[in-house]
Structures are given as C-alpha cells and as structure tokens.
C-alpha cells in the first residue's frame, strides 16, 4: 500500500479549494456583466482564464519534475490566492475594473499550469497501480462538482450577503486546500541523470521521451484532436440554447454537462475502468457522439440538457482513462513534463475550437439552415430550420466526427497501443 490516505486528504482539500475559487469566478463574471453590460467583456474573461494556462504549461513541466511537487502545489495555491486578495482589496476600495480581473485570471491560469501537472504526476507515487483508475475517477469527480456546486453556493451568498461573502468563503476554502498539502508528504522521484543539465535539456528530454514511444504520440494526438472539436461544442451551447430560450434554460443545460461529468467520474471512481483502458476511451468517444446527436435534434432545452449530460459522461470517462495510461506507463520523474504538454496541447486546441466556432456558424452553417437553401429543406422535418439551427447542424457534424475518431481508434495499432508499451516498474 502506498500513501493513499495522503491522496484522499489532498483531494478533499482541492475539492474545497476548487469550489471556493469557482464561487469567486462565478461572482466576478456576474459583476463584470452587470457593470459593463458587454458580452465581449464577459467572453474576454474566459480568454484570460484559459490562454495563460496553455502558455504556462509550456514551461511548467521541466520545473515540476525538478522541484518538490508538494511545494509546487502549495506555491501555486498561494500565488492564486494572493491575486484574489488583491481583487478583494480593489473591490472594497471601490476601484475594481474589469482589466484588473484579466490580470488576476492570467495569474491564476499560470498558477494552475503548475498545480495541475504537479498533482497528476504525484498520484502514481501515492496510489497503487491497480487503484489509479479509481483515483482518476475521483479526481474527475472533483472537477465535475465545481460547475454544479460553485454557482449554486455563490448565488445564495451573493443574494443573501453580497459579493463580499463570496470573497470571504474563497479565502477560507483556500486555507483548507493549503493545510491539506502541508499535513501530508509526497514522495519525490529521483531525477534521470541523462537530463539534469539545464531547463532546455529537461524540456528536450521530455519531448524525446514521448517521441521515442509511439503509443504516447498516438494517444496525445488523438486527444488533442478531440479537444479541438470539444472547444467548438463548448462555444456552441450558449448560442444554440439562447436562440429559442432564456438564461435560465441555458443554466439548466450547463448543469446537464456537470451532472454527466459527475456520473462519469463517479462510475470511474467506483469501478476503475476496463483493464484495457483504450476500450473505455473508445466507448467514451462514441458516447460523446451520441450526446452531440441528441443535442442537434430539436430546439428543446430538456433534450439539449440530456444530450449534454451524455456528452459530459463520455468526456469525463475518456479524459480520466487517458490520464491513467500515462500514469501507469511513464516514469514518475518525467510525468510533470508529459502532463504539462498534455495540458498545453489540449487547452490550445480547445481555444482554437472556441475561436472558429462562431465564424463557422455565422458564415457557413446558419445560412445553410436559414430556410432559403435547398439543403435546409431536406433536413427541415428532422432538425427544423431557422435561428440557432446552424449551431444544431454543427453539433450533428461533431457527432459524426466523434464517431469517426472512435472508428479510427478501433484500428489495432491504436486500440492495442497499451500492449506496445510496458508498464513502468520501479527498480529501486
């Protein structure tokens, strides 16, 4: 038995901290929209929350593998919390501006670029190999609870006590997260002597480690491609629902994703996933495709929420098993670089998908479904035509793409990639 109690302590601390941060993020996003009335200012918040995470991950990997991972997580949490404390001071001073939040979110994104790979690289040092699937499921469960619990709690606090109460709750939850890290120990892997020369040497060694193992190249390429289309799906949900319903219906739809992720993470946490993890990833791809297909069918909020639930279930199950393959197959001293690269590529591809989704809908797919084209007439009885059906058509295409990627993953070279790479064995 490894130090599994330490894993659970850290996970509980991170759950509390993540919910607190999510409450602040929700409260501030509402504040920005109320202060500016600008959808652009609102979406700019998302940009500054995501892009620094990808940029920071580029340099985080070698440093996570060099430094003590527990202190990396503590330091990242402290830096993120200090930036929030600055926002609190500006808010109570009556001088808070939206651009202050852009800087704060950028700092938080950079901090998370270190926290995420440091935690994921530490899990194999704390949890037995046979339990890594369950550990990954529980980790995904924490991520799934954030979009469900955080907005609800923040809404109650803001309505009852004002935005200041959310800030106080965030500071308290941050303290719980840091204390959980302070009271546990995390084994530190021994560095490989081939690489310990410079930062660039470390970075090159990590890249070479992946490149020399084709199964890792296939896996990271497959998931990066999927994240591009996931970004498109993420960007389309709002316009699709708001084309026929209001903000409340959109909120319920987003909750569908969270509930699906909750079910997927819980299932993985209890079961641990199939012995051949690629089989689970392939099932996840086909499940996501089913979710996209259901979303595309009709302009109905409940139907879309059901489709998003199915989407979230398949997505979380797939991402969780993807993480386990690296944790089982790769040497612990290089996992920081592997997970940093995974974060960088995944977030970058997702960001590109978000950026191209809007122009594709406006310039290509919505005109096709406007009712003035022969193409729309052929699909009218099944999918309907008019406002928002261009986004629905894109969801239909995303379903086909997800199934196509799933079929490609059924090729023996991909499906059996775990067989081509032995499990890491600690020889100490």
């Amino acid at each position: 038995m490894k130090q599994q109690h330490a894993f659970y302590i850290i996970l509980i601390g991170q759950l509390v901290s993540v919910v607190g941060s999510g409450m602040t993020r929700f409260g501030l996003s509402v504040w920005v929209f109320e202060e500016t009335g600008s959808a652009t200012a609102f979406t700019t918040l998302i940009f500054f929350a995501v892009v620094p995470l990808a940029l920071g991950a580029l340099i985080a990997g070698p440093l996570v593998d060099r430094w003590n991972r527990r202190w990396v997580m503590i330091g990242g949490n402290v830096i993120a919390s200090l930036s929030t404390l600055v926002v609190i001071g500006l808010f109570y001073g009556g001088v808070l501006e939206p651009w202050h939040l852009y800087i704060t979110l950028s700092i938080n994104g950079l901090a998370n670029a270190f926290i995420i790979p440091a935690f994921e690289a530490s899990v194999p040092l704390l949890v037995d190999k046979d339990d890594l699937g369950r550990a990954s499921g529980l980790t995904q469960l924490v991520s799934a609870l954030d979009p469900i619990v955080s907005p609800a709690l923040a809404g109650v606090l803001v309505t009852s006590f004002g935005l200041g109460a959310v800030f106080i709750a965030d500071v308290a939850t941050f303290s719980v997260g840091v204390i959980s890290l302070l009271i546990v120990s995390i084994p530190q892997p021994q560095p490989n002597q081939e690489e310990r020369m410079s930062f660039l040497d470390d970075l090159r060694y990590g890249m070479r480690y992946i490149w020399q193992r084709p199964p890792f190249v296939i896996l990271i390429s497959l998931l990066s491609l999927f994240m591009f289309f996931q970004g498109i799906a993420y960007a389309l949900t709002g316009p699709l629902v708001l084309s026929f319903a209001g903000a409340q219906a959109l909120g319920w739809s987003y909750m569908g994703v969270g509930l699906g992720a909750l079910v997927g993470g819980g299932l993985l946490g209890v079961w641990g996933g199939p012995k051949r993890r690629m089989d689970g990833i392939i099932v996840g791809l086909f499940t996501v495709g089913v979710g996209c297909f259901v979303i595309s069918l009709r302009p109905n909020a409940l139907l879309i929420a059901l489709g998003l639930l199915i989407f979230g279930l398949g997505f979380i199950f797939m991402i969780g098993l993807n993480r386990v393959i690296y944790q089982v197959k790769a040497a612990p001293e290089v996992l920081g670089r592997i997970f940093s690269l995974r974060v960088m590529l995944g977030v970058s591809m997702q960001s590109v998908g978000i950026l191209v989704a809007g122009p594709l809908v406006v310039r290509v797919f919505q005109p096709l479904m406007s009712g003035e084209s022969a193409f729309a007439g052929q699909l009218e009885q099944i999918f309907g035509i008019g406002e928002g059906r261009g986004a629905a058509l894109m969801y239909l295409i995303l379903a086909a793409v997800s199934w196509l990627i799933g079929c490609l993953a059924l090729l023996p070279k991909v499906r059996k990639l775990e067989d081509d790479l032995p499990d890491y064995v600690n020889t100490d």
Side-chain angles (χ1 to χ4, degrees):
M1 288 288 290
K2 295 188 178 181
Q3 302 181 46
Q4 296 196 183
H5 65 283
F7 167 76
Y8 292 114
I9 291 172
I10 296 171
L11 192 67
I12 292 171
Q14 290 303 300
L15 170 61
V16 175
S17 182
V18 162
V19 169
S21 298
M23 289 166 59
T24 296
R25 189 167 56 249
F26 178 84
L28 288 176
S29 65
V30 172
W31 178 86
V32 166
F33 193 78
E34 289 178 345
E35 289 292 312
T36 65
S38 169
T40 300
F42 184 84
T43 54
T44 302
L45 278 178
I46 299 175
F47 175 85
F48 280 100
V50 171
V51 173
L53 175 60
L55 296 176
L58 184 62
I59 63 171
L63 298 177
V64 165
D65 285 332
R66 278 184 171 225
W67 297 342
N68 183 287
R69 290 170 181 169
R70 182 170 71 108
W71 285 105
V72 168
M73 286 187 278
I74 292 171
N77 277 280
V78 169
I79 290 171
S81 182
L82 288 175
S83 67
T84 302
L85 287 173
V86 171
V87 169
I88 294 174
L90 293 171
F91 174 78
Y92 281 111
V95 294
L96 183 63
E97 299 286 343
W99 67 268
H100 294 141
L101 302 182
Y102 302 154
I103 296 174
T104 299
L105 287 174
S106 296
I107 294 172
N108 286 344
L110 290 172
N112 282 323
F114 286 82
I115 294 170
I116 294 171
F119 175 67
E120 293 186 348
S122 298
V123 173
L125 302 170
L126 298 171
V127 177
D128 291 327
K129 185 173 70 174
D130 292 341
D131 292 324
L132 283 173
R134 283 182 282 273
S136 184
L138 292 173
T139 303
Q140 295 299 114
L141 201 61
V142 169
S143 301
L145 284 170
D146 178 20
I148 298 175
V149 176
S150 300
L153 291 178
V156 171
L157 288 177
V158 170
T159 302
S160 303
F161 306 104
L163 187 58
V166 173
F167 291 145
I168 294 171
D170 191 7
V171 173
T173 56
F174 150 77
S175 301
V176 173
V178 170
I179 290 171
S180 71
L181 289 165
L182 287 171
I183 63 177
V184 300
S185 63
I186 299 176
Q188 190 70 11
Q190 291 300 313
N192 190 303
Q193 296 305 313
E194 295 180 31
E195 54 172 312
R196 190 46 51 88
M197 295 177 64
S198 69
F199 175 85
L200 289 177
D201 288 329
D202 281 358
L203 187 60
R204 280 192 291 265
Y205 180 86
M207 296 289 188
R208 190 167 65 249
Y209 187 94
I210 295 172
W211 186 253
Q212 291 173 346
R213 293 160 176 79
F216 282 163
V217 177
I218 293 172
L219 189 61
I220 207 165
S221 300
L222 182 74
L223 268 295
S224 296
L225 177 64
F226 174 80
M227 288 304 293
F228 169 73
F229 294 106
Q230 191 272 343
I232 294 177
Y234 175 79
L236 291 178
T237 303
L240 176 61
V241 176
L242 293 176
S243 68
F244 65 87
Q248 186 175 7
L250 180 60
W252 283 107
S253 298
Y254 280 136
M255 186 173 287
V257 178
L259 289 174
L262 195 66
V263 173
L267 177 62
L268 192 56
V270 173
W271 173 31
K275 185 176 181 181
R276 190 190 297 277
R277 297 169 190 92
M278 274 305 301
D279 288 348
I281 291 175
I282 293 169
V283 170
L285 283 166
F286 282 104
T287 302
V288 166
V290 171
C292 289
F293 179 75
V294 171
I295 292 167
S296 73
L297 288 175
R298 284 290 173 185
N300 180 290
L302 289 177
L303 193 64
I304 291 173
L306 173 62
L308 288 169
L309 187 151
I310 297 169
F311 183 104
L313 191 158
F315 177 72
I316 290 297
F317 201 76
M318 179 175 57
I319 294 299
L321 290 173
N322 169 262
R323 178 193 294 120
V324 176
I325 293 176
Y326 294 115
Q327 291 173 335
V328 170
K329 302 291 184 179
E333 64 268 17
V334 78
L335 274 176
R337 275 158 287 185
I338 289 177
F339 283 127
S340 291
L341 179 64
R342 194 176 73 111
V343 168
M344 184 194 71
L345 290 175
V347 172
S348 297
M349 293 296 285
Q350 183 187 45
S351 301
V352 173
I354 291 171
L355 288 175
V356 303
L360 281 175
V361 168
V362 173
R363 298 177 185 177
V364 180
F365 293 102
Q366 188 54 44
L368 282 175
M369 301 299 289
S370 64
E372 300 175 1
S373 69
F375 182 81
Q378 298 174 18
L379 296 178
E380 180 177 0
Q381 295 302 317
I382 303 175
F383 298 101
I385 59 173
E387 187 68 25
R389 302 322 291 162
L393 178 59
M394 282 196 71
Y395 263 111
L396 178 62
I397 294 171
L398 290 175
V401 168
S402 186
W403 290 331
L404 176 61
I405 296 174
C407 289
L408 291 174
L410 285 171
L411 295 172
K413 187 67 176 178
V414 181
R415 180 173 174 259
K416 297 182 179 180
L417 62 81
E418 294 168 85
D419 300 344
D420 297 332
L421 196 63
D423 291 0
Y424 171 79
V425 177
N426 189 350
T427 56
D428 294 340

